[in-house]
């Protein structure tokens, strides 16, 4: 794990001054930090992945939407059973995945203490050499 990238992710997270950072930046931050501290950041990664699956940028990309939801389910399943957000995020990810498989439109995430942020799937920040 590149410690400089971990520090950069933490700085971006702190400088965002939001409870949950969404979009491509949030996915990059939470994917990286979940590798370091899965119990602390996994639920936020699952949340951002489910949110990203509703983005207009993936409207015509069902394989990408399903990949995001599959990742969200796996991340939520990997959380410890004592994690207070595990059940809620796993239920949301599974429900969104099921809707996707059935071809129903995605529902926006209900507010559950997280600020709503519409996800955008721009290029993820590149690692610095």
């Amino acid at each position: 794990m590149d410690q400089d990238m971990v520090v950069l992710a933490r700085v971006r997270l702190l400088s965002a001054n939001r409870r949950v950072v969404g979009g491509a930046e949030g996915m990059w931050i939470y994917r990286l930090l979940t590798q370091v501290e899965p119990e602390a950041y996994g639920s936020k990664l699952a949340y951002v992945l489910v949110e990203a699956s509703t983005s207009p940028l993936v409207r015509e990309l069902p394989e990408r939407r399903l990949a995001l939801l599959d990742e969200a389910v796996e991340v939520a399943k990997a959380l410890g059973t004592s994690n207070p957000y595990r059940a809620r995020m796993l239920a949301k990810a599974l429900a969104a995945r099921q809707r996707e498989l059935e071809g129903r439109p995605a529902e926006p995430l209900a507010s559950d203490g997280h600020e709503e942020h519409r996800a955008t799937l721009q290029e993820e920040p590149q690692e610095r050499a």
Side-chain angles (χ1 to χ4, degrees), residues 3-44:
Q3 291 304 312
D4 290 339
M5 294 304 292
V6 171
V7 170
L8 177 61
R10 290 181 193 274
V11 167
R12 286 190 179 176
L13 184 61
L14 290 170
S15 67
N17 199 26
R18 289 181 270 170
R19 190 165 181 176
V20 176
V21 178
E25 183 175 35
M27 282 193 291
W28 175 79
I29 290 170
Y30 296 126
R31 278 179 173 150
L32 183 63
L33 294 178
T34 296
Q35 293 176 37
V36 178
E37 294 183 63
E39 292 301 313
Y41 297 104
S43 60
K44 289 185 179 185

Side-chain angles (χ1 to χ4, degrees), residues 12-113:
R12 286 190 179 176
L13 184 61
L14 290 170
S15 67
N17 199 26
R18 289 181 270 170
R19 190 165 181 176
V20 176
V21 178
E25 183 175 35
M27 282 193 291
W28 175 79
I29 290 170
Y30 296 126
R31 278 179 173 150
L32 183 63
L33 294 178
T34 296
Q35 293 176 37
V36 178
E37 294 183 63
E39 292 301 313
Y41 297 104
S43 60
K44 289 185 179 185
L45 175 57
Y47 179 89
V48 170
L49 290 165
V50 171
E51 183 181 70
S53 74
T54 67
S55 170
L57 296 172
V58 294
R59 181 175 294 132
E60 304 299 324
L61 303 169
E63 302 86 20
R64 181 68 178 138
R65 289 192 310 268
L66 191 56
L68 290 166
L69 295 170
D70 286 343
E71 184 180 353
V73 168
E74 291 306 311
V75 168
K77 281 182 180 179
L79 293 171
T81 56
S82 63
N83 187 306
Y85 302 107
R86 182 185 193 272
R88 183 181 333 161
M89 289 316 306
L90 183 56
K92 286 181 189 247
L94 287 169
R97 186 178 185 283
Q98 187 63 36
R99 280 191 304 275
E100 180 64 31
L101 291 172
E102 293 172 357
R104 292 184 288 161
E107 298 174 5
L109 291 176
S111 180
D112 58 0

